[in-house]
Amino acid sequence: MFFQPIIQRFSGARHANPPGEARIAIVSTPRSGNTWLCNMLDHAYECATREHGELALYNPLDAPWLNLPDRCIVMTHWQRAEPLPTLWKEHRFFTITLARHPLDVLISILRYAPCEGSLGWLAGQEGDERPIFGVSPESEEFIRYATSRRAKALLAVSTQWWKAQGVHRIRYEDLVRNPKRQLLQISKSLGTSPSIGFDEAVTACAMQRIRNPITARQIWPGKPGLWRTLLTSHVALRIAAAHKDVFSALGYVCNPDRTLDSRKASHNWSRIIMAKAGGLAYGSSQSVA
């Protein structure tokens, strides 16, 4: 019952969707393609041209609920707990969640972790990413983190929303394979056409165009299955065993490359972390992780 005053404080929105409205919530586990999808939808629906039109929030309850424009995107990493589901509904948000192979997610977190932005995820629930600053995928530090309560809490975000009724579900792998198709499906379900064509949005938000020394850590070549070149079978299976529920709920399997040895895995990781910020690294794709 504690959340009722919060809902009352932010309520008052109309329940009928005005013509042309596009309020979009992207809520998923970090490093699942959230930023890339947000950029493409923002470009197509021109959300950022409006005040409060594009919001990336550690805590979605901080959104200016009573001052949101008719077209806006809120991106967050927040578990499915009240009052958030009620607020999304009250303010007519179309909710999207992304799923990505859990081992690719954890590798992407490792690559991103030295950026202190990760420390704000889930308001520090179950710890943070400091233990993996500067370590490698095969290190005991990473394995401890990847099987920890912190990793479980982060992976639970997509899992919880993925199972919720009325949520639009997208697999990162499908988004990489055909981003325009996924955008068209969103538009159809949303019931509002974009202001700018999706072909242009995909091109404008391609990684080669938006990646620069400032965004290099957040945006990197997130080729689906990259984990298979960085985790030996022993390590991959050990981590996957800690997240059996996530693999099952999201429909992923752990099928490591059993020919990969630690020396080769280490070499592949070195190629990634040594890649120049302005170029495409090992295993490149048109994706933003």
Side-chain angles (χ1 to χ4, degrees), residues 22-26 38-39 41-43 45-57 63-64 67-75 93:
R23 288 184 170 180
I24 301 168
I26 301 175
C38 182
N39 286 344
L41 289 171
D42 177 34
H43 189 93
Y45 285 96
E46 296 187 302
C47 295
T49 62
R50 297 159 169 80
E51 185 178 8
H52 306 309
E54 184 184 15
L55 300 171
L57 300 173
N67 295 293
L68 293 169
D70 59 344
R71 292 195 175 194
C72 60
I73 296 180
V74 176
M75 184 181 73
F93 271 86

Side-chain angles (χ1 to χ4, degrees), residues 46-262:
E46 296 187 302
C47 295
T49 62
R50 297 159 169 80
E51 185 178 8
H52 306 309
E54 184 184 15
L55 300 171
L57 300 173
Y58 285 121
N59 187 340
L61 301 182
D62 292 337
W65 296 98
L66 298 182
N67 295 293
L68 293 169
D70 59 344
R71 292 195 175 194
C72 60
I73 296 180
V74 176
M75 184 181 73
T76 190
H77 314 302
W78 201 255
Q79 293 179 349
R80 188 175 181 273
E82 292 292 356
L84 188 56
T86 298
L87 287 169
W88 287 150
K89 182 177 181 180
E90 180 75 15
H91 293 271
R92 306 180 307 277
F93 271 86
F94 178 76
T95 306
I96 302 170
T97 194
L98 295 109
R100 185 182 184 185
H101 194 289
L103 297 181
D104 273 334
V105 168
L106 292 169
I107 288 293
S108 189
I109 287 174
L110 175 62
R111 175 65 178 83
Y112 179 74
C115 173
E116 293 189 0
S118 69
L119 304 184
W121 293 338
L122 290 180
Q125 180 181 335
E126 302 292 356
D128 57 39
E129 284 55 63
R130 288 186 180 91
I132 56 171
F133 282 10
V135 307
S136 69
E138 290 278 296
S139 67
E140 280 299 321
E141 292 88 348
F142 177 69
I143 296 170
R144 281 196 298 271
Y145 170 87
T147 56
S148 70
R149 294 172 64 90
R150 171 64 169 179
K152 290 177 184 292
L154 293 174
L155 291 174
V157 177
S158 283
T159 306
Q160 291 175 5
W161 289 98
W162 192 260
K163 297 184 292 185
Q165 185 176 5
V167 173
H168 187 88
R169 303 183 299 181
I170 298 177
R171 291 192 183 279
Y172 174 81
E173 296 80 7
D174 292 336
L175 189 64
V176 171
R177 186 178 301 112
N178 194 331
K180 181 181 176 182
R181 175 181 295 178
Q182 299 304 315
L183 295 174
L184 286 169
Q185 290 177 353
I186 290 172
S187 177
K188 181 178 179 180
S189 298
L190 179 62
T192 302
S193 299
S195 303
I196 296 173
F198 287 134
D199 282 324
E200 180 179 332
V202 171
T203 300
C205 299
M207 184 167 58
Q208 292 96 325
R209 290 177 176 266
I210 64 177
R211 193 169 188 262
N212 57 56
I214 296 176
T215 64
R217 188 171 298 283
Q218 181 171 359
I219 301 169
W220 72 302
K223 182 180 179 181
L226 187 61
W227 67 270
R228 299 185 77 245
T229 71
L230 301 170
L231 298 174
T232 59
S233 60
H234 171 73
V235 172
L237 292 169
R238 181 175 167 186
I239 295 172
H243 304 292
K244 290 186 294 185
D245 56 336
V246 176
F247 276 82
S248 176
L250 299 182
Y252 289 101
V253 297
C254 180
N255 56 338
D257 179 358
R258 296 183 182 276
T259 68
L260 183 73
D261 58 28
S262 295

